Amino acid sequence: MGYPEMSDDCVQMYFKVKGPVTQFLGRAHLCRAQLCAPKSAENLEEFENCVTQYMKAINFAKGEPRYYFLVYNASVLYWQMVRPFLKPGYHHHLISSLSQIVNVLNQTEEEDKEWRAELMLELLDCYLQAGRKEEAAKFCVTAAPFIKANVPQKYRHMFSVMVRHELLDELQLQEEKKTSVSLAVTYHVNMLKAKLDKNEFPEDVNTILKKAYKHLSNYNHQRFPSVREEKILLLFELARLSLTLKCEEISSGCLSDLKGIDSKVSEGWRWACSTCSSSSVAVRTYQAKGRGRNSFFFGLFLLYVFVFAYVFLLLSFYRHISCILKRSLKLMYVIAFTKNLSCIQKLCVSCRILGS
């Protein structure tokens, strides 16, 4: 409700009383953590203090099954707090606390498996951003099977990270890509990205791109509507990589396929699909059209506000004039039927006052 000082006083009084050990102890730690949340990513001291309070709540709750919900609540609040730290140079500050939270969520067998998978992927990214590749590879041994079995829609992203950063053995990756078309395309795309990251340009790049495009051509989205969105993402990713590698033939084919998949795409996207001579032209035109549409709707909104304000002022003016006319008519009526001059004089004074 916007009274942090009052909240802080209440929390301080609660801890001074030393009441019974119930769920409210965990809730009090969560309240204290939110009160001491860092104002910016630069204040690491406040960050550490805040994390300590969240971990106190989690360590308290994980020992009693009826308090497991507090572990989930703490993980959500924690993630909201650390969002400003998800930028280059700060990921390593999250690894210790985030890895503990992921482990506790696994221990308590949290039912929201998609949330657990999301935190696993973020932890993997923190390992990689911090340059701790060995720990990332070790983490994938347990995280990848969990995501594949419980949250399959996120496994392709997991697989792409493992391929690009070489977190699994090459033979394992080769076997894994055979299980589906999407993984095969993802493997080829991210293998090329890994080469580009090392400033290596493979000689058979056109062959690899054509092989990936052939896989996608056999990906029947009409027979299996559930793969439609995935195919769109893969086509766009392959088109972008092909343009980066100056293979316009593949990028043009990908964009044509995208146009054929979705007949309801915007005119800007249709234009980009039909003229893909360069990625910069297509993307900039699409963005420019988007900005144009935004400006148009914003202009309509301003026009609507102006018209509304104008009508409101007119109504207010007419209402005021109507009120003055009614009072004037009443005064004239009184004057017409009143013979007392002094009364007429008083009414004239009143009329002048009203007129002013």
Side-chain angles (χ1 to χ4, degrees), residues 69-302:
F69 71 94
L70 288 175
V71 176
Y72 177 82
N73 293 348
S75 69
V76 174
L77 294 172
Y78 164 86
W79 188 245
Q80 293 175 351
M81 183 271 294
V82 301
R83 298 282 296 195
F85 293 86
L86 298 176
K87 59 182 181 179
Y90 288 83
H91 287 83
H92 64 280
H93 295 296
L94 277 61
I95 292 177
S96 177
S97 54
L98 183 55
S99 60
Q100 291 182 62
I101 291 175
V102 169
N103 290 333
V104 174
L105 287 172
N106 292 336
Q107 292 173 17
T108 58
E109 298 181 348
E110 169 57 44
E111 296 180 356
D112 192 345
K113 295 178 181 179
E114 188 170 355
W115 174 241
R116 289 164 62 183
E118 183 69 26
L119 291 183
M120 287 178 178
L121 290 170
E122 294 294 344
L123 177 57
L124 178 60
D125 185 58
C126 288
Y127 279 129
L128 295 172
Q129 293 290 336
R132 296 159 70 166
K133 187 175 178 179
E134 292 183 2
E135 294 177 69
K138 184 178 179 180
F139 178 68
C140 286
V141 175
T142 56
F146 172 83
I147 294 176
K148 184 178 182 180
N150 298 285
V151 196
Q153 66 270 22
K154 290 185 178 293
Y155 183 68
R156 191 182 72 83
H157 175 63
M158 182 79 177
F159 183 73
S160 67
V161 174
M162 292 190 295
V163 173
R164 185 167 185 175
H165 297 278
E166 300 175 347
L167 300 179
L168 282 184
D169 183 70
E170 181 65 24
L171 292 176
Q172 290 180 274
L173 295 173
Q174 290 279 356
E175 289 297 321
E176 192 69 23
K177 76 170 185 176
K178 297 177 182 178
T179 58
S180 71
V181 174
S182 64
L183 292 184
V185 176
T186 301
Y187 174 83
H188 292 304
V189 169
N190 285 277
M191 184 187 67
L192 289 175
K193 288 182 178 180
K195 297 289 185 181
L196 291 176
D197 292 340
K198 299 177 183 178
N199 293 323
E200 298 177 4
F201 193 84
E203 297 179 357
D204 58 343
V205 60
N206 288 331
T207 304
I208 296 173
L209 290 173
K210 288 179 180 179
K211 186 184 295 186
Y213 181 68
K214 184 178 180 180
H215 281 300
L216 275 178
S217 300
N218 298 327
Y219 209 13
N220 194 338
H221 64 279
Q222 295 178 342
R223 186 176 179 182
F224 304 102
S226 59
V227 304
R228 177 176 172 277
E229 295 298 327
E230 187 173 48
K231 184 175 181 178
I232 290 175
L233 292 174
L234 288 170
L235 282 169
F236 184 77
E237 190 173 358
L238 182 59
R240 183 177 180 183
L241 179 62
S242 300
L243 286 170
T244 301
L245 296 173
K246 299 181 180 180
C247 186
E248 296 184 1
E249 179 185 355
I250 300 298
S251 62
S252 177
C254 291
L255 292 175
S256 297
D257 290 347
L258 282 168
K259 180 181 178 181
I261 290 176
D262 194 348
S263 59
K264 297 180 180 180
V265 292
S266 65
E267 290 300 320
W269 181 245
R270 287 178 182 273
W271 187 89
C273 291
S274 60
T275 57
C276 61
S277 59
S278 69
S279 61
S280 60
V281 173
V283 171
R284 288 174 185 171
T285 301
Y286 183 73
Q287 291 176 344
K289 286 181 178 294
R291 287 195 295 268
R293 286 193 294 271
N294 291 339
S295 300
F296 174 74
F297 287 118
F298 182 70
L300 283 181
F301 173 75
L302 289 178

Side-chain angles (χ1 to χ4, degrees), residues 21-27 29-30 53-75 104 107-108:
V21 180
T22 62
Q23 62 168 296
F24 294 103
L25 177 60
R27 292 177 181 273
H29 284 302
L30 293 181
Q53 297 303 320
Y54 280 122
M55 296 313 302
K56 285 182 179 180
I58 290 173
N59 291 329
F60 161 76
K62 72 178 183 179
E64 184 65 42
R66 58 179 174 169
Y67 298 151
Y68 282 175
F69 71 94
L70 288 175
V71 176
Y72 177 82
N73 293 348
S75 69
V104 174
Q107 292 173 17
T108 58

Side-chain angles (χ1 to χ4, degrees), residues 302-318:
L302 289 178
L303 180 61
Y304 171 80
V305 172
F306 176 79
V307 171
F308 178 82
Y310 181 75
V311 172
F312 178 80
L313 289 174
L314 283 178
L315 290 175
S316 300
F317 176 76
Y318 287 137

Side-chain angles (χ1 to χ4, degrees), residues 337-349:
F337 292 93
T338 302
K339 297 180 180 179
N340 192 335
L341 183 60
S342 62
C343 181
I344 294 175
Q345 292 175 347
K346 292 179 180 180
L347 290 172
C348 289
V349 173

Side-chain angles (χ1 to χ4, degrees), residues 18-49:
K18 295 182 180 180
V21 180
T22 62
Q23 62 168 296
F24 294 103
L25 177 60
R27 292 177 181 273
H29 284 302
L30 293 181
C31 290
R32 179 177 279 181
Q34 293 177 79
L35 288 169
C36 65
K39 303 298 186 296
S40 68
E42 306 302 326
N43 199 328
L44 296 178
E45 185 177 351
E46 287 185 355
F47 171 77
E48 294 295 339
N49 186 25

